[in-house]
Amino acid sequence: MRCAMGAVRSRLVRQLLTESCLLAFAGGVAGAVLAWWGVKALPKLAPAGYPMLKEVAMDWRVLMATLVISLGTGVVFGLAPAITLSGGGALHEALKEGGRGGGETVARGRLRSVLVVAEVALAMLLAVGAGLLMRSFGRLSGMDPGFNAGGLLTAQVNPPPTRPVAQRRAFYDGLLARLVTTPGVRACGITSSVPLTDSNSGTRMFVEGRPAPRPEDAPIMWFRTISSGYFRAMEIPLKRGRGFEPADETGGQAVALINETAARRFWPNEDAVGKRFTNGPPRADRPTNWFTVVGVVGDLRHRGLDREPDAEIFWPYRGGLSVGGMNVVVRTDADAMRFTGTLRGVVAGVDRNVAVSQIRGGEQLLRDSMAPQRFSTVLLGLFAVVAVVLAGVGVYGVIAYSVARRTREIGIRMALGARALDVVFMVVRKAMILAGAGIVIGLLAAAALGRVIRTLLFGVSAVDPLIYATLAVVVAVAATLAAAVPARRAARVDPTVALRYE
């Protein structure tokens, strides 16, 4: 009608572009505000020490890029329809459509439908990824770390490194003696490495009675230097043999404990207790320092809950202490973190020059070990929620526009006897066709991209039928709810008013 009344084509294009760019710019500003808030909130969700996260910030370059992208989006997505609608042929057809009743043409709705299908497919893809990570995180949370985290307190104690080994041993002896008599302490010990911290020291393994491999080909065993009370404090079960005795800690006999993984690996179908090994290749020109396995303990997950237990050796600390810093572990009767002040006081009572650091409870050890997986799950979950909401908005927009364009048609149908339920079904059916197409495409894309997310999963298949089916239902329900409002509006159309709509 504007063109018929004398409006030039360039004026129509400018008007449509202005409207498109204003909408895009407003969306860009809102997105920049949300992004600024997200950048501020991100460090609170991320695990401690997450690389480069503190360097992420909003600056003028980010804001300029946001402005350019927003305006570019308005131009690109506003130019094509502006040119199409400002053409003489398109305007002529539009005038004829108005005379025919203003129904929605196939060509007009096809692009909107394709965009909605793509939106639903992307939402489905992100939802599947988030669902797989959530189930993986649930499996990870249920893993047995090999020790009892409740009531456990760990801390690193660091005697001055210039002290002789004998003085450091004397300090640890005094510390353990004090802790044993401290009220509220059920058990205590020291170790060179705390579980779930991915702190390892390795040595080569040479088994007695077997051909010695080349040193570079010998298997690696991770070793821990511990006190005799360590396993009781951690509540790590003794499976076979015995634990360390006072005579073992004097260094008179070379003994060691190993975990079940080491026993299965080096002595399959045998009893490992009584077997001997050394940590250096046996040589004829010198005596070999053989270690006797006196016991086998349960497996620990030192490198994380998502890692299989490693083969491990445990040595008495008084016979193998050679480093300055050790970790004290204390089993308490109550909340372990409330014992922090007491532990600092006990250490200061033994030696005021010894620093205490990295105080953590057993529950915190578990939380910290799962922090990267939790962060990935939360982040992808937020993206998935936003994507599902946007997909619902897209479905609502298309269906609402279709209902508005077909108001006269709906009025004629109802005047000819169509029930309100028939109209609702007609409107919702179109929404479900669009959502169904998007869900199928999204599921196929998720299955095809399974290799990308497989490395982030634990105990869950990248193609999990339960997750796929559940999230397909969730997205379908979201699309149905989005279509419910325009469907209800369509069912309330008054045939008399609709016939006079244009």
Side-chain angles (χ1 to χ4, degrees), residues 424-443:
V424 170
F425 177 76
M426 177 186 69
V427 174
V428 173
R429 181 180 59 183
K430 179 174 181 178
M432 294 312 300
I433 291 174
L434 296 178
I439 289 171
V440 171
I441 295 173
L443 290 177

PDB file of all heavy atoms in Angstrom, residues 424-443:
ATOM      1  N   VAL A 424      -7.129 -26.061  17.891  1.00  0.00           N
ATOM      2  CA  VAL A 424      -5.943 -26.245  18.738  1.00  0.00           C
ATOM      3  C   VAL A 424      -5.049 -27.339  18.167  1.00  0.00           C
ATOM      4  O   VAL A 424      -3.823 -27.184  18.081  1.00  0.00           O
ATOM      5  CB  VAL A 424      -6.359 -26.583  20.186  1.00  0.00           C
ATOM      6  CG1 VAL A 424      -5.146 -27.009  21.010  1.00  0.00           C
ATOM      7  CG2 VAL A 424      -7.042 -25.397  20.824  1.00  0.00           C
ATOM      8  N   PHE A 425      -5.647 -28.444  17.774  1.00  0.00           N
ATOM      9  CA  PHE A 425      -4.862 -29.542  17.204  1.00  0.00           C
ATOM     10  C   PHE A 425      -4.154 -29.103  15.931  1.00  0.00           C
ATOM     11  O   PHE A 425      -2.995 -29.466  15.697  1.00  0.00           O
ATOM     12  CB  PHE A 425      -5.786 -30.728  16.923  1.00  0.00           C
ATOM     13  CG  PHE A 425      -5.085 -31.888  16.277  1.00  0.00           C
ATOM     14  CD1 PHE A 425      -4.256 -32.722  17.021  1.00  0.00           C
ATOM     15  CD2 PHE A 425      -5.236 -32.128  14.914  1.00  0.00           C
ATOM     16  CE1 PHE A 425      -3.597 -33.786  16.413  1.00  0.00           C
ATOM     17  CE2 PHE A 425      -4.589 -33.190  14.303  1.00  0.00           C
ATOM     18  CZ  PHE A 425      -3.765 -34.017  15.053  1.00  0.00           C
ATOM     19  N   MET A 426      -4.817 -28.324  15.093  1.00  0.00           N
ATOM     20  CA  MET A 426      -4.215 -27.857  13.849  1.00  0.00           C
ATOM     21  C   MET A 426      -2.988 -26.983  14.125  1.00  0.00           C
ATOM     22  O   MET A 426      -1.942 -27.125  13.476  1.00  0.00           O
ATOM     23  CB  MET A 426      -5.254 -27.070  13.044  1.00  0.00           C
ATOM     24  CG  MET A 426      -4.709 -26.463  11.754  1.00  0.00           C
ATOM     25  SD  MET A 426      -5.922 -25.405  10.929  1.00  0.00           S
ATOM     26  CE  MET A 426      -5.985 -24.029  12.088  1.00  0.00           C
ATOM     27  N   VAL A 427      -3.097 -26.106  15.116  1.00  0.00           N
ATOM     28  CA  VAL A 427      -1.986 -25.207  15.435  1.00  0.00           C
ATOM     29  C   VAL A 427      -0.840 -25.966  16.085  1.00  0.00           C
ATOM     30  O   VAL A 427       0.330 -25.807  15.711  1.00  0.00           O
ATOM     31  CB  VAL A 427      -2.475 -24.069  16.358  1.00  0.00           C
ATOM     32  CG1 VAL A 427      -1.305 -23.213  16.818  1.00  0.00           C
ATOM     33  CG2 VAL A 427      -3.517 -23.215  15.641  1.00  0.00           C
ATOM     34  N   VAL A 428      -1.170 -26.825  17.064  1.00  0.00           N
ATOM     35  CA  VAL A 428      -0.112 -27.564  17.768  1.00  0.00           C
ATOM     36  C   VAL A 428       0.568 -28.551  16.832  1.00  0.00           C
ATOM     37  O   VAL A 428       1.770 -28.808  16.954  1.00  0.00           O
ATOM     38  CB  VAL A 428      -0.709 -28.270  19.010  1.00  0.00           C
ATOM     39  CG1 VAL A 428       0.330 -29.181  19.663  1.00  0.00           C
ATOM     40  CG2 VAL A 428      -1.198 -27.241  20.015  1.00  0.00           C
ATOM     41  N   ARG A 429      -0.186 -29.122  15.907  1.00  0.00           N
ATOM     42  CA  ARG A 429       0.406 -30.090  14.977  1.00  0.00           C
ATOM     43  C   ARG A 429       1.534 -29.457  14.187  1.00  0.00           C
ATOM     44  O   ARG A 429       2.590 -30.083  13.989  1.00  0.00           O
ATOM     45  CB  ARG A 429      -0.668 -30.627  14.035  1.00  0.00           C
ATOM     46  CG  ARG A 429      -0.137 -31.660  13.046  1.00  0.00           C
ATOM     47  CD  ARG A 429      -1.239 -32.157  12.151  1.00  0.00           C
ATOM     48  NE  ARG A 429      -1.835 -31.061  11.397  1.00  0.00           N
ATOM     49  CZ  ARG A 429      -2.871 -31.206  10.576  1.00  0.00           C
ATOM     50  NH1 ARG A 429      -3.443 -32.391  10.438  1.00  0.00           N
ATOM     51  NH2 ARG A 429      -3.356 -30.166   9.929  1.00  0.00           N
ATOM     52  N   LYS A 430       1.348 -28.220  13.737  1.00  0.00           N
ATOM     53  CA  LYS A 430       2.423 -27.570  12.998  1.00  0.00           C
ATOM     54  C   LYS A 430       3.642 -27.361  13.873  1.00  0.00           C
ATOM     55  O   LYS A 430       4.784 -27.580  13.436  1.00  0.00           O
ATOM     56  CB  LYS A 430       1.939 -26.217  12.462  1.00  0.00           C
ATOM     57  CG  LYS A 430       3.026 -25.479  11.689  1.00  0.00           C
ATOM     58  CD  LYS A 430       2.513 -24.218  11.048  1.00  0.00           C
ATOM     59  CE  LYS A 430       3.636 -23.532  10.268  1.00  0.00           C
ATOM     60  NZ  LYS A 430       3.178 -22.312   9.590  1.00  0.00           N
ATOM     61  N   ALA A 431       3.415 -26.979  15.130  1.00  0.00           N
ATOM     62  CA  ALA A 431       4.546 -26.802  16.037  1.00  0.00           C
ATOM     63  C   ALA A 431       5.281 -28.115  16.257  1.00  0.00           C
ATOM     64  O   ALA A 431       6.517 -28.163  16.289  1.00  0.00           O
ATOM     65  CB  ALA A 431       4.065 -26.235  17.365  1.00  0.00           C
ATOM     66  N   MET A 432       4.542 -29.214  16.398  1.00  0.00           N
ATOM     67  CA  MET A 432       5.175 -30.501  16.653  1.00  0.00           C
ATOM     68  C   MET A 432       5.912 -31.017  15.424  1.00  0.00           C
ATOM     69  O   MET A 432       6.915 -31.729  15.546  1.00  0.00           O
ATOM     70  CB  MET A 432       4.126 -31.522  17.104  1.00  0.00           C
ATOM     71  CG  MET A 432       3.499 -31.183  18.451  1.00  0.00           C
ATOM     72  SD  MET A 432       4.748 -30.765  19.722  1.00  0.00           S
ATOM     73  CE  MET A 432       5.693 -32.268  19.770  1.00  0.00           C
ATOM     74  N   ILE A 433       5.421 -30.679  14.240  1.00  0.00           N
ATOM     75  CA  ILE A 433       6.152 -31.069  13.026  1.00  0.00           C
ATOM     76  C   ILE A 433       7.504 -30.371  12.975  1.00  0.00           C
ATOM     77  O   ILE A 433       8.544 -30.986  12.705  1.00  0.00           O
ATOM     78  CB  ILE A 433       5.314 -30.746  11.768  1.00  0.00           C
ATOM     79  CG1 ILE A 433       4.103 -31.678  11.691  1.00  0.00           C
ATOM     80  CG2 ILE A 433       6.166 -30.886  10.514  1.00  0.00           C
ATOM     81  CD1 ILE A 433       3.149 -31.339  10.573  1.00  0.00           C
ATOM     82  N   LEU A 434       7.510 -29.065  13.273  1.00  0.00           N
ATOM     83  CA  LEU A 434       8.772 -28.317  13.295  1.00  0.00           C
ATOM     84  C   LEU A 434       9.695 -28.839  14.394  1.00  0.00           C
ATOM     85  O   LEU A 434      10.886 -29.077  14.168  1.00  0.00           O
ATOM     86  CB  LEU A 434       8.495 -26.832  13.509  1.00  0.00           C
ATOM     87  CG  LEU A 434       7.704 -26.116  12.422  1.00  0.00           C
ATOM     88  CD1 LEU A 434       7.465 -24.660  12.811  1.00  0.00           C
ATOM     89  CD2 LEU A 434       8.445 -26.185  11.091  1.00  0.00           C
ATOM     90  N   ALA A 435       9.146 -29.025  15.607  1.00  0.00           N
ATOM     91  CA  ALA A 435       9.963 -29.500  16.717  1.00  0.00           C
ATOM     92  C   ALA A 435      10.462 -30.919  16.459  1.00  0.00           C
ATOM     93  O   ALA A 435      11.619 -31.246  16.757  1.00  0.00           O
ATOM     94  CB  ALA A 435       9.158 -29.455  18.017  1.00  0.00           C
ATOM     95  N   GLY A 436       9.600 -31.764  15.898  1.00  0.00           N
ATOM     96  CA  GLY A 436      10.021 -33.139  15.608  1.00  0.00           C
ATOM     97  C   GLY A 436      11.165 -33.197  14.618  1.00  0.00           C
ATOM     98  O   GLY A 436      12.118 -33.963  14.800  1.00  0.00           O
ATOM     99  N   ALA A 437      11.080 -32.376  13.575  1.00  0.00           N
ATOM    100  CA  ALA A 437      12.180 -32.343  12.607  1.00  0.00           C
ATOM    101  C   ALA A 437      13.473 -31.873  13.265  1.00  0.00           C
ATOM    102  O   ALA A 437      14.551 -32.445  13.054  1.00  0.00           O
ATOM    103  CB  ALA A 437      11.817 -31.434  11.431  1.00  0.00           C
ATOM    104  N   GLY A 438      13.369 -30.829  14.103  1.00  0.00           N
ATOM    105  CA  GLY A 438      14.563 -30.342  14.799  1.00  0.00           C
ATOM    106  C   GLY A 438      15.121 -31.362  15.772  1.00  0.00           C
ATOM    107  O   GLY A 438      16.348 -31.516  15.896  1.00  0.00           O
ATOM    108  N   ILE A 439      14.253 -32.087  16.489  1.00  0.00           N
ATOM    109  CA  ILE A 439      14.710 -33.098  17.444  1.00  0.00           C
ATOM    110  C   ILE A 439      15.451 -34.217  16.733  1.00  0.00           C
ATOM    111  O   ILE A 439      16.518 -34.661  17.183  1.00  0.00           O
ATOM    112  CB  ILE A 439      13.512 -33.646  18.247  1.00  0.00           C
ATOM    113  CG1 ILE A 439      13.007 -32.575  19.214  1.00  0.00           C
ATOM    114  CG2 ILE A 439      13.881 -34.912  18.993  1.00  0.00           C
ATOM    115  CD1 ILE A 439      11.705 -32.943  19.902  1.00  0.00           C
ATOM    116  N   VAL A 440      14.908 -34.686  15.623  1.00  0.00           N
ATOM    117  CA  VAL A 440      15.575 -35.765  14.876  1.00  0.00           C
ATOM    118  C   VAL A 440      16.938 -35.315  14.375  1.00  0.00           C
ATOM    119  O   VAL A 440      17.945 -36.028  14.518  1.00  0.00           O
ATOM    120  CB  VAL A 440      14.686 -36.229  13.698  1.00  0.00           C
ATOM    121  CG1 VAL A 440      15.450 -37.190  12.800  1.00  0.00           C
ATOM    122  CG2 VAL A 440      13.422 -36.894  14.230  1.00  0.00           C
ATOM    123  N   ILE A 441      16.994 -34.123  13.810  1.00  0.00           N
ATOM    124  CA  ILE A 441      18.281 -33.615  13.310  1.00  0.00           C
ATOM    125  C   ILE A 441      19.267 -33.433  14.462  1.00  0.00           C
ATOM    126  O   ILE A 441      20.452 -33.764  14.352  1.00  0.00           O
ATOM    127  CB  ILE A 441      18.071 -32.289  12.551  1.00  0.00           C
ATOM    128  CG1 ILE A 441      17.235 -32.525  11.296  1.00  0.00           C
ATOM    129  CG2 ILE A 441      19.410 -31.661  12.184  1.00  0.00           C
ATOM    130  CD1 ILE A 441      16.844 -31.256  10.570  1.00  0.00           C
ATOM    131  N   GLY A 442      18.783 -32.909  15.593  1.00  0.00           N
ATOM    132  CA  GLY A 442      19.656 -32.721  16.753  1.00  0.00           C
ATOM    133  C   GLY A 442      20.189 -34.032  17.299  1.00  0.00           C
ATOM    134  O   GLY A 442      21.365 -34.129  17.669  1.00  0.00           O
ATOM    135  N   LEU A 443      19.346 -35.069  17.354  1.00  0.00           N
ATOM    136  CA  LEU A 443      19.801 -36.375  17.838  1.00  0.00           C
ATOM    137  C   LEU A 443      20.837 -36.979  16.897  1.00  0.00           C
ATOM    138  O   LEU A 443      21.831 -37.567  17.347  1.00  0.00           O
ATOM    139  CB  LEU A 443      18.604 -37.317  17.990  1.00  0.00           C
ATOM    140  CG  LEU A 443      17.623 -36.987  19.122  1.00  0.00           C
ATOM    141  CD1 LEU A 443      16.446 -37.954  19.106  1.00  0.00           C
ATOM    142  CD2 LEU A 443      18.323 -37.048  20.467  1.00  0.00           C
TER     143      LEU A 443
END
